[in-house]
């Protein structure tokens, strides 16, 4: 149950909103507080803030830079080569006894390398041109910036947004020194460490005349795709007291009001936007071209971003629509986790706006802004010089891309200003804005027509300047020597909190990582925190651990403009004081005694192996990850490198660190905790405890829980005063199975491959098209593997055991899930302790996870091929199968974990609502929810062991492996470590689990409510119903795949196809419906269609004859009406083809056809956009593989006043697919989206691992190689009729549909009964009206208004 983690990161991460990962790696996640996304719709969104790669292993920055002299351009490659030679010269002087070109470490161990001498590897890499365009050798390419008259941006100390390219002119040229004395060596080391890190060789940057900066990075993963992000340097900290939330409001209105962005949706593009403290970012992920387009799509993407950023239409109807959405979003995100984040930020940044200016804003202010107020804020901050454009993707011609940027954005923001128009009154933005922002009286010129851009001579163009400091706030730093008395701990209490948490923050300025010395400090911090993580994680493994988790994190935050070190402790409330004592005690011990020599060697080598592994992935990093990394590090001012540069620099600095320096860094990093209260120590920026108001006490139930600030301070002092001892060294095994042991196993069990099919006699089945190999071992274990070189020198492996929680008997509910957790908690195999196993994984860079689902038990390994990493992973798998040690204390921890999970359900609105819905739909079957305290109490160590290990029989297991290995390597590991596994568990117990069924209908539990008392109002709802499984089986028994192929309808259609002589269509139609993956394909397309956002287009974007546009409208009223039509709620759909008002406005003859007019209404568009009932709604399918059932779920968040209407609207959309027919373009768009997703994912090992799953599993008999080979053709072949065949298998009628509404608020003590009246649109039609009447009535009302 107890876990710990520690990380150091130089990427943007808000410390109190991170997600931890055991293993000592860096991590980061978008803060619930500091970032707000505009569009949660899954199919139309890109995750806004992904975890950025480590800067210490970093990648990204500039190919060329101006050296400060006009017209002078110098390549970084030349500088990098010079510096590498100097680095080699330096190390040779330090160690003259080493052979020429070798590299020896200064610390107590040697770093192993794979590819020869340091200088040889470096010069070899950079003598080969790896770019798609030979920039170094092509002079015309080198001068493209000058050709377009677009100069690169100069980078100043107060401009962290552009990547620095400064480089020292001095060189290290001391010759003839063979042996250096200590003083000279120290000087040489200091000189070496002062050099700047190299910059990314492929990254281009520039600046337009109007001030817009741009950064371009070619990257071919995924191929034929591009990421374009427009970053506007304005956020919530720029808002005045009466503008809280307006930056986020503009993000919504500008983004979702853009017609050009909407037009891109049909191309397979995805888009989204987010707002944080001081950035607003609009991003589009797009194909570079489509089969329907004549050329490059990038100009259209840029044009959409230009419209969104500089030319938005602030229509009153759009403003009102987004106002409703934001108010719903505010309630949706107001979870207890969000409120905890807010409290932590308030105390961490109590001295500035970051503690109070949360991007979501204040409800009372959001309700009152009009269009003029919103437009004025936009005019104040949205100008080119305050923006940076990032383009990362499959770009082959940089010069052409720069030309496109100039063509689209060159005229943006130029505004007309005369002497008379200068403002005469003081600006009202506040003192900071007065200093930073020039005063202008008019808005953006980007809204002017082309005719208006002809400026008279007496007028002049002016350009706003960029704001220098981001974010524009000041901090109270936690620095030593200030002699500040620490503030008392702050306490946040709430009835919805389940656990106690303790947070201690230290806030310091960001130290830019630009030199080798900076990178060296990052490496040393990682070593310190990795050592602390491992110590805590392994020392406190008792049956009743004093804490749930302890994390120590050091992160640079670009959103907050500071670096924060955070100690976070979580614990059961009754153990809170012991948890604080342990955390402070361990931090103090590390600060006083430092890391050991073994820890230094172990974690430094692990970092270098990880670095080398990432460097090998240089050509496989997705563009969105690269872009996120560049954006965050540019904001922080870090030097951006590619992965190979990062690894080479890391190796160079690793050879210079010493144990004394690492421990000096340790003392500095941990001083604010270990010396808490001392006058000389840094004072914490904040100490915050989050405490539940009530806790569960065995035998007493819920009781009041109170602690004070003085008690927390006393617990900290107790940890500081406890006696400490130095850490002892730990022996780490080189192998879990030695060579003699392996030889003995092979002699005893004689592993071999056996025929997969007794009839064929072949022991190896290889499919040339997919590259998949199938094998079966003599002990019965089937193995699938695929050799893949897309992820260099890496591999993944997955063991799947059929059974899972479905095999739990009625007497032992929870046995499987608790048993799997027990194995994970114990961590012991054979004679090796948990500590030794974990360090074995650290040394071999193995990431291992063990999990259970309703159908399977799954164990997954990620490994590197270096240093026998694959053999080490196979050894660990063998030991888990053969030598797992089941421990009583691990069982108790596992049981406590699930007991805590169950008791947390009533304190979460979403979890309690889902729990009640699932229990109702599945007739109270506990196997699909958390086990109850009664069930947990009935379990024993032996019962959970039997429940798990009885499933681990060879014939019930399947192993799949994907990676960069050879046939010989993988088959040797398979025979050695899987072939020597016993075929069955020693004491097999037969289980006869009860069948899984849906509750008989109708039932009084089909509509339920959950009422949760809370200080704030919120609401959510879930709607669910039965569906078949992935292979067409249902809980009622019929085989749907067989029934649709024997139906009379099929025969009639076949006869029709034959009579029409359309043999090809007949064959294709027959093949897809008889294919075992038919329901998997069609259900996936159906879900994509239901979730898709509707398209509303006048004319066709690509090639189809267009209707008349606004250029053909003569009067202003016509143009206003056309704008209204563009903003028309989209469900009014197809009627507008024939509506008389429309035809009159567009001056169409009765015979004219609006050929490109497409409009359809689905879930997101109806419930969110048109009706304003939610911020987020989605449709998901759970299609099982082994179990003969599935279900669908619609999840929707809303307000208590609207949630009933939202549920009704969701039901109507779900049931309305027959009346509101799926059209061909919808299906084509869904196909394109899924196929593009497949084409991108197929480059990854993890995706192939999923494709290989169940290929030889007897429990999933319909899965075979055709399901992988035919997937793309099945998507292409699917028809609308196929989609409706799948749709008809969903039970959406009242007798089968289940819904549960959850409402939280102060007044929830009163039971809510009944449903709201049937939903009506304003002015309008009831939902039960016929489609045509409804549409005509609504459109008439809308147009006549």
């Amino acid at each position: 149950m107890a876990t710990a983690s520690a990380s150091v990161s130089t990427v943007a991460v808000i410390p109190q909103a991170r997600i931890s990962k055991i293993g000592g790696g860096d991590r980061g996640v978008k803060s619930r507080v500091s970032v707000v996304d505009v569009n949660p719709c899954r199919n139309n969104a890109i995750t806004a803030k992904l975890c950025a790669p480590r800067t210490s292993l970093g990648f990204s920055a500039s190919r060329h830079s101006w050296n400060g002299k006009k017209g002078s351009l110098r390549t970084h490659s030349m500088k990098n080569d010079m510096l590498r030679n100097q680095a080699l010269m330096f190390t040779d002087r330090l160690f003259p006894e080493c052979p020429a070109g070798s590299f020896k470490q200064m610390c107590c161990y040697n770093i192993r390398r794979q590819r020869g001498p340091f200088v040889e590897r470096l010069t070899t890499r950079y003598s080969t041109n790896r770019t798609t365009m030979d920039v170094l050798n092509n002079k015309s390419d080198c001068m493209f910036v000058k050709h377009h008259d677009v100069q690169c941006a100069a980078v100043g100390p107060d401009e962290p947004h552009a990547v620095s390219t400064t480089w020292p002119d001095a060189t290290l040229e001391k010759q003839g020194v063979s042996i250096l004395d200590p003083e000279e060596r120290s000087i040489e080391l200091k000189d070496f460490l002062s050099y700047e890190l190299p910059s990314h060789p492929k990254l281009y940057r520039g600046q337009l005349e109007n001030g817009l900066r741009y950064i371009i990075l070619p990257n071919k993963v995924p191929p034929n795709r591009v990421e374009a992000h427009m970053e506007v340097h304005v956020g919530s900290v720029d808002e005045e007291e009466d503008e809280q939330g307006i930056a986020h409001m503009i993000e919504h209105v500008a983004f979702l009001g853009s017609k050009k962005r909407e037009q891109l949706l049909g191309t397979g593009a995805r888009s989204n936007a987010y707002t944080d403290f001081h950035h607003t970012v609009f991003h589009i992920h797009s194909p570079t071209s489509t089969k329907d387009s004549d050329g490059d799509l990038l100009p259209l993407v840029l044009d959409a971003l230009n419209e969104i950023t500089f030319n938005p239409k602030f229509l009153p109807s759009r403003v009102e629509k987004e106002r409703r959405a934001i108010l719903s979003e505010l309630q949706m995100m107001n979870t207890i986790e969000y409120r905890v984040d807010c409290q932590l930020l308030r105390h961490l940044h109590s001295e500035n706006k970051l503690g109070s200016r949360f991007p979501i804003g204040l409800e009372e202010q959001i309700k009152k802004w009009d269009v003029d107020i919103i437009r004025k804020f936009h005019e104040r901050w949205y100008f080119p010089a305050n923006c940076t454009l990032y383009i990362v993707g499959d770009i082959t011609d940089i010069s052409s891309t720069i030309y496109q940027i100039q063509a689209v954005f060159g005229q943006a923001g130029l505004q007309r200003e005369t002497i008379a128009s200068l403002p005469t009154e003081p600006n009202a933005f506040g003192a900071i804005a007065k200093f930073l922002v020039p005063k202008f009286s008019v808005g953006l010129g980007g809204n002017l027509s082309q005719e208006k851009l002809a400026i008279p001579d007496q007028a002049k163009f002016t350009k706003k300047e960029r704001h220098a400091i981001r974010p524009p706030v000041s901090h109270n730093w936690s620095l030593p020597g200030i002699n500040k008395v620490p503030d008392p701990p702050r306490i946040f209490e709430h009835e919805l909190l389940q656990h106690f948490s303790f947070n201690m923050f230290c806030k310091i300025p960001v130290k830019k990582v630009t030199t080798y010395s900076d990178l060296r400090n990052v490496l040393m911090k990682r070593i310190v925190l990795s050592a602390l993580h491992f110590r805590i994680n392994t020392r406190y493994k008792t049956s009743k651990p004093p804490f749930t988790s302890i994390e120590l994190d050091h992160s640079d935050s670009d959103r907050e403009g500071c670096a924060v070190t955070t100690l976070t402790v979580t614990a059961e409330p009754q153990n809170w004081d012991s948890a604080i004592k342990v955390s402070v005690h361990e931090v103090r011990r590390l600060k006083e005694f430092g890391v050991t020599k073994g820890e230094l060697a172990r974690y430094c080598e692990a970092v270098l192996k990880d670095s080398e592994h990432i460097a090998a992935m240089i050509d496989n990093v997705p563009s969105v990850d690269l872009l996120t990394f560049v954006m965050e590090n540019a904001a922080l001012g870090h030097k951006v490198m590619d992965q190979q540069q990062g690894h080479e620099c890391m190796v160079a600095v690793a050879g210079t660190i010493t144990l004394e320096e690492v421990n000096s860094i340790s003392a500095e990093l941990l001083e604010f905790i270990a010396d808490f209260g001392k006058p000389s120590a840094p004072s914490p920026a904040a100490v915050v405890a989050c405490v539940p108001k009530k806790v569960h006490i065995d035998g007493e139930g819920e009781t009041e829980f109170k602690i004070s600030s003085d008690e927390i301070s006393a617990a900290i002092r107790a940890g500081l005063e406890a006696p400490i001892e130095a850490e002892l060294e730990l022996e780490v095994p080189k192998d879990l199975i030695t060579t003699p042991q392996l030889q003995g196993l092979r002699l005893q069990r004689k592993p071999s491959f056996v025929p997969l099919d007794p009839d064929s006699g072949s022991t190896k089945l290889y499919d040339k098209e997919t590259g998949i190999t199938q094998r079966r071992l003599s002990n019965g274990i089937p193995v699938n593997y695929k050799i893949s070189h897309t992820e260099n020198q890496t591999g993944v492996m997955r063991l799947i055991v059929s059974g899972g929680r479905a095999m739990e008997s009625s007497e032992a509910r929870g046995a499987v899930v608790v048993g799997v957790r027990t194995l994970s908690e114990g961590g012991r195999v054979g004679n090796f302790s948990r500590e030794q196993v974990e360090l074995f994984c650290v040394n071999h860079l193995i990431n291992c996870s063990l999990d259970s689902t309703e159908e399977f038990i799954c164990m997954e390994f990620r490994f590197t091929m270096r240093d026998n990493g694959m053999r080490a992973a196979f050894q660990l798998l063998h030991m888990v199968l053969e030598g797992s040690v089941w421990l009583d204390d691990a069982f108790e921890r596992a049981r406590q974990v699930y007991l805590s999970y169950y008791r947390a359900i009533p304190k979460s609105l979403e979890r309690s609502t889902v729990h009640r819905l699932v229990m109702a739909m599945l007739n109270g079957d506990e196997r699909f929810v958390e086990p109850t305290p009664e069930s947990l109490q009935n379990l024993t160590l032996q019962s959970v062991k039997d429940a798990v290990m009885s499933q681990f029989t060879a014939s019930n297991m399947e192993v799949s492996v994907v990676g960069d290995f050879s046939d010989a390597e993988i088959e040797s590991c398979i025979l050695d470590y899987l072939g020597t596994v016993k075929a069955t568990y020693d004491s097999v117990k037969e289980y006869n689990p009860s069948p899984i069924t849906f509750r008989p209908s109708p039932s009084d539990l089909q509509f339920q409510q959950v009422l949760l008392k809370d200080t704030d109002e919120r609401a959510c709802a879930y709607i669910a119903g039965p569906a078949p499984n992935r292979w067409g089986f249902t809980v009622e028994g019929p085989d749907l795949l067989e029934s649709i192929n024997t139906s009379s309808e099929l025969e009639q259609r076949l006869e029709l196809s034959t009579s029409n002589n359309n043999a090809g269509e007949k064959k294709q139609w027959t093949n897809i419906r008889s294919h075992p993956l038919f329901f998997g394909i069609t259900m996936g397309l159906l879900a994509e269609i239901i979730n898709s956002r509707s398209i509303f287009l006048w004319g066709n974007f690509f090639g189809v004859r267009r209707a008349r546009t606004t250029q053909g409208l003569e009067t202003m009223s016509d143009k206003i009406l056309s704008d209204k039509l563009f903003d028309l709620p989209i469900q009014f759909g197809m009627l507008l083809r024939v509506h008389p008002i429309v035809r009159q406005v567009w001056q169409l003859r009765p015979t004219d056809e609006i050929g490109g007019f497409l409009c359809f209404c689905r879930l997101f568009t109806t419930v969110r956009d048109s009706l304003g009932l939610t911020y987020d709604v989605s449709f998901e399918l759970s299609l099982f593989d082994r179990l003969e059932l599935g279900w669908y779920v619609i999840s929707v968040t809303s307000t208590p006043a609207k949630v009933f209407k939202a549920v009704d609207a969701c039901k109507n959309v779900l049931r309305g697919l027959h009346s509101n027919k799926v059209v061909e373009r919808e299906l084509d768009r869904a196909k394109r989206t899924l196929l593009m997703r497949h084409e991108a994912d197929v480059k990854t090992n993890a995706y192939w691992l999923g494709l290989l799953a169940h290929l030889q599993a007897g429990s999933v008999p319909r899965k075979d190689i055709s399901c992988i080979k035919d997937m793309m053709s099945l998507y292409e072949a699917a028809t609308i009729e196929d989609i409706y065949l799948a749709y008809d298998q969903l039970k959406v009628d009242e007798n089968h549909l289940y819904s549960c509404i959850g409402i939280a608020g102060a007044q929830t003590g009163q039971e809510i009964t009944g449903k709201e009246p049937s939903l009506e649109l304003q002015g309008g039609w009831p939902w039960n009206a016929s489609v045509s009447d409804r549409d005509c009535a609504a459109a008439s009302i809308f147009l006549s208004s």
Side-chain angles (χ1 to χ4, degrees), residues 65 71 108 120 184 206 241 313 480-481 485 554 567 705 737 748 768 805 876 921 926 1003 1010 1015 1025 1222 1243 1328:
S65 69
C108 55
E120 180 182 338
E184 290 175 317
E241 287 295 328
K313 289 188 177 180
V485 178
H554 179 82
L567 174 67
F705 182 74
I737 303 174
Q748 177 186 354
K768 187 176 181 180
R805 292 204 64 189
L876 181 56
M921 183 172 65
E926 196 180 309
S1003 167
V1010 171
T1015 54
V1222 174
K1243 306 291 184 182
N1328 57 4

Side-chain angles (χ1 to χ4, degrees), residues 306-588:
N306 183 50
E307 179 183 60
I308 292 169
T309 310
F310 302 120
N311 302 296
K313 289 188 177 180
F314 293 109
L315 299 176
S317 57
R318 173 56 64 180
V319 170
E320 291 308 314
K321 185 179 296 184
E322 296 313 313
R323 193 195 313 275
R324 295 196 303 266
I326 291 170
L327 292 173
S328 177
E329 179 186 4
L330 190 150
Q331 292 204 344
M332 178 200 74
M333 65 187 301
N334 192 32
T335 63
I336 187 59
E337 292 82 10
Y338 173 84
R339 283 176 256 180
V340 167
D341 286 346
C342 290
Q343 289 295 323
L344 298 180
L345 278 172
R346 284 193 178 102
H347 295 299
L348 175 61
H349 299 299
S350 59
E351 74 277 17
N352 58 50
K353 284 185 176 182
L354 296 172
S356 58
R357 287 290 196 278
F358 305 132
I360 191 64
L362 298 179
E363 181 177 359
E364 60 273 15
Q365 294 190 18
I366 295 169
K367 290 179 177 179
K368 67 182 182 181
W369 298 318
D370 59 23
V371 171
D372 289 338
I373 293 174
I374 293 172
R375 183 180 288 111
K376 287 178 182 177
F377 188 91
H378 181 273
E379 291 171 356
R380 192 191 316 165
W381 296 101
Y382 279 67
F383 54 92
N386 199 38
C387 301
T388 304
L389 173 68
Y390 298 83
I391 300 176
V392 180
D394 195 354
I395 299 167
T396 56
D397 190 343
I398 300 298
S399 184
S400 174
T401 301
I402 292 176
Y403 177 82
Q404 292 166 349
I405 294 172
Q406 173 69 49
V408 174
F409 295 101
Q411 297 298 312
L414 294 178
Q415 44 188 341
R416 193 177 168 189
E417 183 182 90
T418 62
I419 302 299
S421 66
L422 288 173
T424 58
E425 297 182 0
N427 197 296
F429 304 165
I432 294 178
K434 287 180 183 178
F435 176 74
L436 295 177
V437 187
K439 300 172 184 177
F440 291 91
S441 61
V442 295
L444 291 177
N447 290 326
L448 301 177
S449 67
Q450 291 295 324
E451 293 77 10
K452 292 183 179 180
L453 288 175
I455 305 297
D457 292 338
Q458 65 269 23
K460 61 180 181 179
F461 284 111
T462 62
K463 183 180 72 176
K464 290 185 179 181
E465 294 299 328
R466 184 181 204 147
H467 311 298
I469 302 171
R470 308 299 305 160
V473 298
S474 60
H475 294 278
N476 293 337
W477 302 120
S478 304
L479 299 175
I482 298 180
N483 296 326
K484 177 187 174 184
V485 178
D487 293 331
R490 308 294 183 182
I491 296 178
F492 170 60
E493 295 181 307
H494 203 280
E495 55 267 20
L496 295 186
L497 288 173
Q498 172 72 8
H499 296 96
F500 168 86
S501 66
F502 169 82
N503 302 270
M504 185 180 287
F505 299 102
C506 175
K507 184 165 57 169
I508 60 175
V510 172
K511 173 61 177 172
K512 297 180 181 180
V513 180
T514 60
T515 67
Y516 283 86
S517 178
D518 301 329
L519 183 61
R520 187 170 178 258
N521 288 335
V522 171
L523 172 61
M524 290 190 286
K525 288 177 182 178
R526 289 191 63 189
I527 292 170
V528 170
L529 297 181
S530 296
L532 180 65
H533 151 69
F534 182 80
R535 289 182 182 185
I536 297 175
N537 195 42
T538 56
R539 178 171 290 118
Y540 296 92
K541 285 295 180 181
T542 62
S543 58
K544 293 185 178 181
F547 58 85
T548 302
S549 68
I550 295 177
E551 304 168 13
L552 187 63
D553 174 85
H554 179 82
S555 302
D556 293 341
S557 173
D558 68 318
R559 298 180 194 134
E560 299 163 80
C562 59
V564 181
T565 305
T566 312
L567 174 67
T568 302
V569 182
T570 60
E572 293 296 328
Q574 59 268 28
N575 298 328
W576 71 269
D577 53 344
S578 299
I580 292 177
K581 292 175 187 176
V582 166
S583 62
V584 173
H585 179 266
E586 289 300 327
V587 169
R588 177 168 159 258

Side-chain angles (χ1 to χ4, degrees), residues 1014-1043:
D1014 191 2
T1015 54
D1016 299 343
E1017 285 191 349
R1018 298 177 60 235
C1020 66
Y1022 298 90
I1023 306 159
N1029 76 357
R1030 196 183 316 277
W1031 311 102
F1033 294 104
T1034 63
V1035 72
E1036 291 89 358
D1039 181 347
L1040 298 178
L1041 192 64
E1042 182 178 333
S1043 64

Side-chain angles (χ1 to χ4, degrees), residues 1200-1316:
K1202 296 180 179 179
V1203 67
F1204 290 93
K1205 294 180 180 179
V1207 169
D1208 284 343
C1210 290
K1211 291 179 181 179
N1212 278 283
V1213 170
L1214 183 62
R1215 293 170 180 159
L1217 258 68
H1218 277 300
S1219 57
N1220 188 7
K1221 291 289 187 181
V1222 174
V1223 298
E1224 196 65 44
R1225 183 141 185 183
E1226 278 186 282
L1227 179 58
D1228 289 343
R1229 178 176 156 188
K1231 289 179 181 180
R1232 186 182 295 116
T1233 299
L1234 295 181
L1235 285 172
M1236 286 183 173
R1237 192 177 300 163
H1238 169 76
E1239 289 169 1
D1241 291 344
V1242 82
K1243 306 291 184 182
T1244 66
N1245 290 345
Y1247 185 69
W1248 273 107
L1249 203 60
L1251 294 178
L1252 291 177
H1254 319 309
L1255 200 53
Q1256 297 187 63
S1259 59
V1260 188
R1262 282 189 171 155
K1263 177 71 177 282
D1264 58 27
I1265 195 71
S1266 71
C1267 297
I1268 302 173
K1269 295 170 63 173
D1270 301 340
M1271 184 180 299
M1272 295 186 70
S1273 61
L1274 290 172
Y1275 277 125
E1276 293 285 2
T1279 66
I1280 292 177
E1281 291 163 332
D1282 295 326
I1283 302 304
Y1284 276 102
L1285 264 180
Y1287 171 68
D1288 289 340
Q1289 311 312 315
L1290 303 182
K1291 307 292 186 181
V1292 298
D1293 59 282
E1294 283 295 338
N1295 289 334
H1296 293 91
L1297 190 144
Y1298 287 79
S1299 62
C1300 188
I1301 293 175
I1303 298 175
Q1307 305 299 322
T1308 55
Q1310 299 176 355
E1311 182 74 21
I1312 301 175
T1313 59
K1315 295 186 179 181
E1316 295 282 325

Side-chain angles (χ1 to χ4, degrees), residues 36 262 681 706 712 842 860 866 1066 1079 1150:
V36 192
E262 288 282 353
K706 281 282 186 181
I712 293 174
V842 169
E860 189 165 318
R866 294 169 177 80
K1066 169 186 173 182
F1079 281 103

